Amino acid sequence: MNIKQVAKKARVSTATVSRIINDSSLVSPETARRVWRTIRQLNYHPDSQARSLVSGRSRILGLIISDITNPFFPELVKGFENLALQNHYEVILNNTNYDPARMATCVRRLLERRAEGVAIMTSEMDPELTDELAKRGIPIVFLDVGSVRNRISNIRVDYAQGIREAVDHLITGGHRRIGFISGPMSLKSACTRKSAFLKCWRAYGFAEDNGLIVEGNHKIDGGESAMSRLLQLKPRPTAILASNDLSAIGALGAIRLAGLRIPEDISVIGFDDIDFGQFTHPPLATIRLSRTELGGKAFNALYRILHGDSKKGEEYNVETHFVARESTGPAPQPGRQTQ
Amino acid sequence: MNIKQVAKKARVSTATVSRIINDSSLVSPETARRVWRTIRQLNYHPDSQARSLVSGRSRILGLIISDITNPFFPELVKGFENLALQNHYEVILNNTNYDPARMATCVRRLLERRAEGVAIMTSEMDPELTDELAKRGIPIVFLDVGSVRNRISNIRVDYAQGIREAVDHLITGGHRRIGFISGPMSLKSACTRKSAFLKCWRAYGFAEDNGLIVEGNHKIDGGESAMSRLLQLKPRPTAILASNDLSAIGALGAIRLAGLRIPEDISVIGFDDIDFGQFTHPPLATIRLSRTELGGKAFNALYRILHGDSKKGEEYNVETHFVARESTGPAPQPGRQTQ
DNA sequence: CTGTTAGCGCATTCAT
DNA sequence: ATGAATGCGCTAACAG
């Protein structure tokens, strides 16, 4: 079932059918109606591959993430995909599983599919691969990677704002010993978050105490073990900030396991605001980062380069904000500390 | 950068280059080497659209799910995508958001992309759309939809086994009043799970008590409100089976809110075995359904139709099993029931 | 307003 | 073992 058959059945040329499919304005309403009828009748669906080939526009976007089972990503994907769908783009989703080789494979395949733009939402990116894309003029949008260049945009997450709000909240509550559970230092995004915390902490004029900073793995079990290490400290921290909610949830478990109360003995704050945070015990205070917004902005960044006036890349900003919930409270009195 | 330029630079014909890309056996090793070198040098990537057009094979598979932010799906997607990647297929992922109109859009677009197969992992499917695909001979795999036909396979989840194990466990513990929190009855998959429970319950010779069956929404809040309704019953159930883990987690919250203990006062069992279940308080007993396996089997089902000997559809089976964790215990003695 | 024609990038005959 | 020529389904000039 191709355009020729439709043309024959409707007694017009293929060009007319093509016009009707794409831009019915240049064709008489009557023939248009007739042809549309034949199209429906024959259940004709134009071949996008052929259209892409001749038009040079694939209407495919690549979306590269590290791992869809990481609760950070599903909302991002949904936000991106919704807009893509509305604008008649297809999305090819790729999990790299933090594997550079797999990332390379994905990029090569997106190249072969002639993707019109690529959103790279994981910071572990080989610059050589970026060049591959850039050389061909394919728009790219990064997440928290600084290089805005021609046809390369970047979404910057303002971690500082949310962290400042959270630390403010803790300090107001009398906390002075704040532990930090970081993500794996092999991940650039985890480093960024840690630096943002340290910077904020120093801005308050506090000395930075490396003993209070423990590395987790951005998963629940890593948060648990990181927290149990923090609990060894004497005096132990009165509050914990975690690099993501999963780590914080692990921390909740470790604290409870040690027989301590939240927030009476220790306050805990997460990061990201994943859905589950509302349902932990106690509900987890966190720093919200809207991943839906992130996904949406990633799409828009590509769209602006593809269709906007400015072919140059732009910098986008996503805010973060503290969300108070029951996992934080005032610092315990030093004398009354148990154990 | 196309095949012609490579051919010119390597002083061969385009046919030779094409042969080398696809099937280097019919070409002299020496020219092959030379051409490969040029290909790398020019950084040539064959255009999949053009290849698809002439070969009639798009190497695209559609994966239709209802909502990627539902924790049921990410692992399924990952399992499917991993195999697809290995076998050089591209995956176009579509969230329908439970919207039939959106489902129709997705199917139409997959048709236009000439997808070679479609995995429909949500039961809310208009039969008309299925026909659209079937008419064109596009392989389909469904999840828990009974119609194995030509080029249409089905993955059947054996809910009964896991439910039987769970109910066995409860009955052995002395439980006789077991509440069931179902999913939304507007979803076919939720109905299937509920029927499986009822069937199992009757198989034990117990009467079915509609008061013990309450409808949730497969999310945490729905589980909470369903549970609080169940807590009104006198005598109240001593154990709860939920249609998915999210509902069960909501139930945990409602039970604790009512001042009752888990599992001393009420036992709770979920369904699916999502990662979070291990970290709730107490850890959630559940009925495991491997979504990774599900995604993998979905891919294999399509692959078998595309490349296997049997072009007819097949029935696949995925088992479910009870996973004991601390949210269950023996039934409380009737006399000692609080409140 | 509509038809004719060329060619997008590639795989595949059919020759040689 | 290699090359020349054809056409996949469609859009875009150009012509009328």
Side-chain angles (χ1 to χ4, degrees):
Chain A
M1 193 54 48
N2 56 25
I3 202 172
K4 236 190 232 163
Q5 302 194 36
V6 175
K8 193 162 71 177
K9 186 121 200 286
R11 306 177 151 281
V12 291
S13 71
T14 61
T16 302
V17 178
S18 174
R19 282 189 196 102
I20 286 169
I21 290 169
N22 294 293
D23 177 349
S24 36
S25 73
L26 295 167
V27 76
S28 95
E30 198 195 339
T31 46
R33 250 195 308 279
R34 191 174 78 247
V35 172
W36 271 123
R37 194 145 23 90
T38 350
I39 286 177
R40 265 193 300 275
Q41 205 171 313
L42 264 51
N43 227 295
Y44 165 68
H45 291 271
D47 184 324
S48 3
Q49 331 230 34
R51 301 175 90 174
S52 301
L53 187 58
V54 57
S55 71
R57 308 212 36 218
S58 67
R59 302 209 76 89
I60 285 179
L61 297 179
L63 175 55
I64 299 181
I65 63 177
S66 41
D67 180 6
I68 188 68
T69 66
N70 176 336
F72 183 85
F73 288 109
E75 292 179 36
L76 190 158
V77 170
K78 198 171 171 181
F80 189 93
E81 199 213 339
N82 271 335
L83 287 180
L85 193 77
Q86 279 171 37
N87 292 280
H88 306 286
Y89 280 91
E90 229 67 63
V91 178
I92 291 183
L93 179 70
N94 291 115
N95 291 294
T96 68
N97 297 336
Y98 305 99
D99 174 1
R102 179 140 173 189
M103 166 73 97
T105 307
C106 291
V107 169
R108 183 171 45 69
R109 289 172 62 162
L110 287 173
L111 245 29
E112 294 182 353
R113 291 280 169 193
R114 301 294 186 261
E116 291 186 45
V118 180
I120 301 177
M121 297 288 104
T122 161
S123 35
E124 319 316 308
M125 178 66 181
D126 186 345
E128 226 176 283
L129 291 176
T130 311
D131 286 349
E132 286 290 301
L133 293 164
K135 227 184 306 176
R136 291 171 171 74
I138 300 173
I140 310 176
V141 55
F142 284 108
L143 179 55
D144 270 331
V145 170
S147 62
V148 166
R149 307 204 306 263
N150 217 20
R151 291 172 170 272
I152 300 188
S153 286
N154 181 46
I155 300 178
R156 211 178 65 79
V157 176
D158 183 8
Y159 296 107
Q161 174 65 20
I163 291 178
R164 210 178 307 126
E165 292 174 13
V167 172
D168 260 350
H169 174 85
L170 291 176
I171 287 184
T172 305
H175 295 273
R176 291 297 178 276
R177 272 182 77 71
I178 302 180
F180 185 78
I181 300 177
S182 79
M185 287 298 99
S186 53
L187 250 56
K188 207 176 151 211
S189 59
C191 297
T192 309
R193 289 177 177 206
K194 178 179 154 187
S195 320
F197 169 71
L198 285 178
K199 192 170 166 191
C200 171
W201 190 238
R202 284 193 300 263
Y204 275 94
F206 294 118
E208 109 188 30
D209 178 348
N210 285 326
L212 282 171
I213 297 174
V214 179
E215 183 172 342
N217 62 359
H218 271 175
K219 295 186 235 170
I220 294 178
D221 61 346
E224 271 181 325
S225 59
M227 187 68 228
S228 51
R229 271 173 284 155
L230 283 168
L231 287 174
Q232 315 274 329
L233 299 176
K234 316 224 166 197
R236 57 164 190 260
T238 64
I240 301 295
L241 194 58
S243 179
N244 74 350
D245 284 338
L246 291 180
S247 303
I249 290 170
L252 294 181
I255 294 170
R256 180 168 304 133
L257 201 68
L260 298 170
R261 295 157 306 165
I262 306 159
E264 291 81 355
D265 297 312
I266 300 187
S267 292
V268 178
I269 298 176
F271 208 117
D272 285 344
D273 193 24
I274 63 175
D275 285 344
F276 268 98
Q278 305 169 51
F279 300 101
T280 56
H281 288 279
L284 181 67
T286 192
I287 297 169
R288 170 174 301 158
L289 196 185
S290 165
R291 277 95 61 211
T292 304
E293 182 185 344
L294 218 87
K297 288 205 166 153
F299 175 83
N300 283 329
L302 295 178
Y303 192 87
R304 291 257 311 162
I305 302 178
L306 287 168
H307 302 282
D309 350 86
S310 89
K311 300 300 183 200
K312 358 191 43 98
E314 294 173 315
E315 183 96 8
Y316 296 80
N317 192 64
V318 174
E319 299 188 351
T320 64
H321 289 290
F322 177 63
V323 178
R325 293 206 191 95
E326 289 83 331
S327 66
T328 69
Q333 300 302 78
R336 298 185 53 239
Q337 187 165 311
T338 52
Q339 286 190 352
Chain B
M1 192 53 48
N2 56 24
I3 201 172
K4 235 190 233 163
Q5 303 194 35
V6 175
K8 194 162 71 178
K9 186 121 198 284
R11 305 177 149 279
V12 291
S13 72
T14 61
T16 303
V17 178
S18 174
R19 284 191 193 99
I20 287 169
I21 290 170
N22 294 293
D23 176 346
S24 36
S25 73
L26 296 167
V27 77
S28 95
E30 197 194 341
T31 45
R33 251 194 308 281
R34 191 174 79 246
V35 173
W36 271 123
R37 194 148 20 91
T38 336
I39 286 176
R40 264 191 302 274
Q41 205 172 313
L42 265 51
N43 225 295
Y44 165 66
H45 292 270
D47 184 324
S48 357
Q49 331 229 34
R51 300 176 90 174
S52 301
L53 187 58
V54 57
S55 72
R57 309 213 35 219
S58 66
R59 302 211 75 89
I60 285 178
L61 297 179
L63 175 55
I64 300 180
I65 63 177
S66 41
D67 180 7
I68 188 66
T69 66
N70 177 337
F72 184 85
F73 289 107
E75 291 179 36
L76 190 158
V77 170
K78 199 172 172 181
F80 188 92
E81 199 212 340
N82 270 337
L83 288 180
L85 193 77
Q86 280 171 38
N87 291 280
H88 307 286
Y89 280 90
E90 229 68 62
V91 178
I92 292 183
L93 179 71
N94 291 115
N95 291 294
T96 67
N97 298 336
Y98 306 98
D99 174 2
R102 179 138 172 192
M103 166 71 99
T105 306
C106 292
V107 170
R108 184 172 43 68
R109 289 172 62 161
L110 287 173
L111 246 28
E112 295 183 354
R113 292 279 169 193
R114 300 296 185 259
E116 291 186 44
V118 181
I120 301 177
M121 297 287 104
T122 160
S123 35
E124 318 316 308
M125 179 64 181
D126 186 344
E128 226 176 284
L129 292 176
T130 310
D131 286 349
E132 287 290 301
L133 293 164
K135 227 184 306 178
R136 290 171 172 73
I138 299 173
I140 311 177
V141 55
F142 284 107
L143 178 55
D144 270 332
V145 170
S147 62
V148 166
R149 308 205 304 263
N150 217 20
R151 290 170 171 272
I152 300 187
S153 285
N154 181 48
I155 300 178
R156 211 178 64 80
V157 177
D158 182 7
Y159 297 107
Q161 174 65 20
I163 292 177
R164 210 177 307 125
E165 290 174 14
V167 172
D168 260 350
H169 174 85
L170 291 177
I171 287 184
T172 305
H175 294 273
R176 290 297 178 276
R177 274 182 75 74
I178 303 180
F180 185 79
I181 300 178
S182 80
M185 287 298 99
S186 53
L187 250 57
K188 208 177 150 211
S189 59
C191 296
T192 309
R193 289 176 177 208
K194 177 178 154 189
S195 320
F197 169 72
L198 285 179
K199 192 170 165 190
C200 171
W201 190 238
R202 282 193 301 264
Y204 275 93
F206 294 118
E208 108 189 28
D209 178 348
N210 286 325
L212 282 170
I213 297 174
V214 179
E215 183 172 342
N217 62 359
H218 270 175
K219 295 187 233 168
I220 294 179
D221 60 347
E224 272 182 326
S225 58
M227 187 67 226
S228 51
R229 268 173 287 154
L230 283 167
L231 288 174
Q232 315 275 328
L233 298 178
K234 316 224 164 186
R236 55 166 192 260
T238 64
I240 301 296
L241 193 59
S243 178
N244 74 350
D245 284 339
L246 291 180
S247 303
I249 290 170
L252 294 181
I255 294 169
R256 180 169 301 133
L257 200 70
L260 298 171
R261 295 158 307 163
I262 305 159
E264 291 82 355
D265 297 311
I266 300 188
S267 293
V268 178
I269 298 176
F271 209 119
D272 286 342
D273 193 24
I274 63 175
D275 285 345
F276 268 98
Q278 303 170 53
F279 300 100
T280 54
H281 287 280
L284 181 67
T286 191
I287 297 169
R288 171 174 300 159
L289 196 185
S290 166
R291 278 93 60 210
T292 304
E293 182 185 345
L294 219 94
K297 288 205 165 151
F299 174 83
N300 283 328
L302 295 179
Y303 192 86
R304 291 257 310 160
I305 301 178
L306 287 168
H307 302 281
D309 350 85
S310 90
K311 301 299 183 199
K312 1 193 39 100
E314 294 173 315
E315 183 95 9
Y316 295 80
N317 191 65
V318 174
E319 299 188 352
T320 63
H321 289 290
F322 177 64
V323 178
R325 293 209 191 93
E326 289 83 332
S327 66
T328 69
Q333 300 301 79
R336 297 184 53 237
Q337 187 165 310
T338 51
Q339 288 190 350

